């Protein structure tokens, strides 16, 4: 095992912040939550619980009125273990779970690197029986996911261990799902309207996730994303039962990330935080499900998600440029891993919205762009690039819904908002994001550098409209015909960035 001393010296600052954050949530009364600086944001009457008690006592019956709004939110996340060298504990975890045969899921690159070396050492030391699937595709398609599922079904495993970035962890979630529901058609669980949106109504096998990138936060969430090739757009499966039992976040595993991967992964964190922070309040989400068990994982902004999202945004703005520009900055790498996990908890409960919804057709309809720094033999728009490229346009559009919240986000980028006008919030935040992307370097200035033209906009809009699960969490998106016009304008504005 590699010596732990270099990172051990810088880790306490990250760990202490996380501990302090969790203590704030648990013990402060009244809650010290950023949304309380704008008490009208959630628009929830203080007597709401009292008024709804009798009304919702028999909540298993259908809700009267298809547009009834939500009145509650839930908090769900995987258990997290954070620290340098904790990957070496995974054999102990699987042994204590009583597993007989573990499916280790990774990709061809990570399989040769330090994270998998740590995993193999730990499993061997504890005598854990395992098989390795190392053929996960980066930015997976339904075809590669189906191959992984078929392989897993033949192995008769009783647990999963994912070692890699979001592509690996998401593929492992789907392998777990479809080996548990071995006879289910593939589209059964895929998000509607592209799939049937069937709920996951039974426990899955234990899944432990070891992230090797600081970005997706997939180690905390019940979401798995892939490219549905027949529709040239990304979709996925989302249900709390998909979330890993445990996320093992080891800063030592970040050392193998190339600079381009650090940047793209970090931009995913940035947009996770911004989108969940600016999503509609959970009390504005409609229609309310007919039964509490049908409450979606992506619920809208709420007092708990707000804490994690804003904290993750501040840490990302501070540490991502350092992590990208200095490969030896171990503190920055550790802080970005922590930010990714915190943002995962935030958006895993509040949801993302337009940047992510619009990113799916951007990636799925790639005209042939290959992002510099990624060692893959195919055109590739990394997920973080596809979400960040529309961000300046998106947050200019959403700002009128809550100028104070958008100004608070701009302040996280270092903008002095002392004399800022509410009506300028969108322009201020949009400019702050654009400057951040420029200073980060090697980021496309809009859709045109990716190969898209104005003639592609209609197809991009058509690819975004089915992403109802996320885009309806954006302020200003109502679910009607007007959405097509809004999305068209957003894509037009995102073609070129000055």
């Amino acid at each position: 095992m590699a010596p732990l001393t270099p990172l051990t010296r810088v880790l306490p600052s990250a760990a202490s912040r996380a501990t302090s954050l969790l203590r704030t949530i648990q013990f402060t009364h009244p809650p010290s939550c950023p949304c309380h600086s704008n008490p009208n944001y959630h628009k929830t009457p203080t007597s709401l619980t009292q008024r709804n008690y009798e009304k919702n006592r028999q909540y298993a019956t259908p809700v009267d009125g298809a547009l009834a709004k939500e009145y509650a939110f839930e908090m769900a996340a995987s258990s997290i273990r954070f620290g340098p060298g904790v990957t070496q504990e995974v054999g102990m975890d699987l042994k204590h779970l009583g597993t007989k045969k573990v499916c280790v899921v990774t990709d061809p690159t990570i399989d040769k690197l330090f994270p998998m070396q740590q995993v193999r050492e730990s499993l061997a030391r504890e005598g854990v029986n395992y098989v390795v699937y190392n053929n996960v595709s980066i930015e997976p398609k339904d075809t590669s996911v189906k191959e992984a599922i078929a392989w897993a079904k033949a192995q008769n495993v009783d647990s999963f261990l994912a070692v890699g970035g979001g592509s690996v962890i998401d593929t492992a979630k789907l392998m777990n799902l479809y080996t548990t529901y071995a006879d289910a058609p593939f589209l059964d669980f895929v998000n509607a309207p592209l799939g049937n949106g069937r709920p996951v109504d039974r426990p899955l096998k234990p899944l432990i996730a070891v992230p090797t990138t600081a970005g997706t936060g997939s180690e905390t969430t019940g979401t798995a994303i892939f490219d549905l090739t027949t529709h040239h757009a990304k979709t996925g499966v989302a249900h709390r039962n998909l979330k890993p039992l445990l996320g093992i976040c080891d800063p030592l595993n970040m050392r193998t990330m190339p600079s381009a991967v650090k940047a793209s992964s970090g931009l995913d964190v940035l947009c996770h935080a911004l989108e969940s922070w600016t999503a509609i309040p959970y009390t504005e989400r409609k229609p309310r499900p007919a039964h509490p068990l049908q409450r979606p994982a992506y619920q809208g902004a709420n007092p708990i998600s707000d804490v994690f999202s804003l904290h993750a945004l501040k840490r990302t703005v501070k540490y991502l440029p350092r992590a990208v520009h200095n490969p030896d900055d171990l503190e920055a790498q550790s802080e970005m891993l922590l930010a990714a996990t915190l943002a995962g908890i935030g958006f895993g409960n509040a949801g993302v919205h337009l940047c992510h919804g619009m990113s799916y057709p951007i990636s799925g309809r790639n005209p042939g762009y290959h992002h510099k720094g990624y060692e893959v033999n195919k055109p590739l728009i990394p997920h973080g690039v596809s979400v960040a490229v529309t961000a300046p346009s998106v947050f200019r559009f959403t700002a009128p819904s809550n100028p104070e919240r958008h100004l608070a986000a701009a302040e996280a980028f270092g903008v002095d908002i002392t004399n800022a006008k509410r009506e300028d919030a969108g322009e201020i935040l949009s400019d702050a994001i654009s400057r951040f992307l420029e200073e980060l370097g090697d980021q496309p200035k809009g859709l045109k550098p990716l190969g898209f033209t104005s003639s592609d906009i209609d197809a991009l809009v058509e690819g975004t409209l089915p992403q109802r699960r996320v885009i309806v969490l954006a302020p200003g998106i109502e679910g009607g015909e007007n959405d097509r016009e809004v999305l068209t304008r957003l894509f037009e504005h995102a073609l070129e960035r000055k």
Side-chain angles (χ1 to χ4, degrees), residues 44-51:
T44 309
T46 56
S47 60
L48 181 64
T49 302
Q50 182 68 32
R51 295 207 313 264

Side-chain angles (χ1 to χ4, degrees), residues 233-316:
K234 286 185 181 292
T235 183
V237 180
H239 194 277
R240 291 183 181 87
N241 286 358
L242 262 70
K243 71 180 186 294
L245 178 70
L246 172 66
I248 294 183
C249 299
D250 185 345
L252 295 179
N253 292 333
M254 302 299 107
R255 300 181 300 178
T256 58
M257 270 198 299
S259 176
V261 178
K262 289 178 184 174
S264 177
S265 299
L267 290 176
D268 197 19
V269 180
L270 186 81
C271 289
H272 284 158
L274 280 168
E275 289 172 72
S276 54
W277 172 248
T278 58
I280 62 171
Y282 73 97
T283 51
E284 293 299 310
R285 180 174 51 77
K286 58 185 181 182
R288 190 169 78 217
H291 192 283
L293 293 178
Q294 296 171 348
R295 186 171 285 132
Y298 286 5
Q299 305 165 88
N302 60 75
I304 295 180
S305 68
D306 286 345
V307 176
F308 287 93
S309 299
L310 186 60
H311 185 77
L313 174 61
K314 292 177 178 178
R315 306 256 56 87
T316 302

Side-chain angles (χ1 to χ4, degrees), residues 435-451:
R435 284 195 302 273
F436 183 82
L437 295 173
E438 183 73 23
E439 292 167 4
L440 197 62
D442 292 327
Q443 299 304 314
K445 294 183 178 181
L447 294 171
K448 281 190 175 180
L450 298 178

Side-chain angles (χ1 to χ4, degrees), residues 7-19 334-335:
L7 197 57
T8 306
R9 290 198 299 267
V10 301
L11 185 66
S13 62
S16 62
R17 288 189 188 98
T19 302
S334 175
E335 288 279 2

Side-chain angles (χ1 to χ4, degrees), residues 478-497:
E478 300 294 338
E481 185 58 30
N482 185 55
D483 294 350
R484 188 183 303 272
E485 184 180 328
V486 169
L487 291 170
T488 299
R489 290 201 310 269
L490 288 174
F491 277 117
E492 287 174 347
H493 293 158
L495 278 173
E496 286 185 279
R497 193 171 72 243

Side-chain angles (χ1 to χ4, degrees), residues 153-288:
K153 284 181 177 179
Q155 298 300 315
N156 194 31
V157 298
D158 60 1
S159 58
F160 288 84
L161 172 60
V163 186
S167 297
V168 168
I169 299 173
D170 287 3
T171 299
K173 290 175 182 176
L174 294 168
M175 293 166 77
N176 192 6
L177 174 64
Y178 287 99
T179 54
T180 301
Y181 292 86
D183 298 326
F186 185 71
L187 289 178
D188 253 21
F189 295 97
V190 174
N191 298 324
L194 297 178
N196 298 327
R198 176 182 171 184
V200 182
D201 56 3
R202 69 179 80 152
L204 305 185
K205 300 175 181 70
L207 165 63
I208 296 177
V210 183
T212 61
T213 62
T216 68
S218 188
E219 68 275 8
T220 72
T221 74
T223 302
I225 300 297
F226 60 88
D227 189 352
L228 190 61
T229 52
T230 54
H231 289 71
H232 302 287
K234 286 185 181 292
T235 183
V237 180
H239 194 277
R240 291 183 181 87
N241 286 358
L242 262 70
K243 71 180 186 294
L245 178 70
L246 172 66
I248 294 183
C249 299
D250 185 345
L252 295 179
N253 292 333
M254 302 299 107
R255 300 181 300 178
T256 58
M257 270 198 299
S259 176
V261 178
K262 289 178 184 174
S264 177
S265 299
L267 290 176
D268 197 19
V269 180
L270 186 81
C271 289
H272 284 158
L274 280 168
E275 289 172 72
S276 54
W277 172 248
T278 58
I280 62 171
Y282 73 97
T283 51
E284 293 299 310
R285 180 174 51 77
K286 58 185 181 182
R288 190 169 78 217

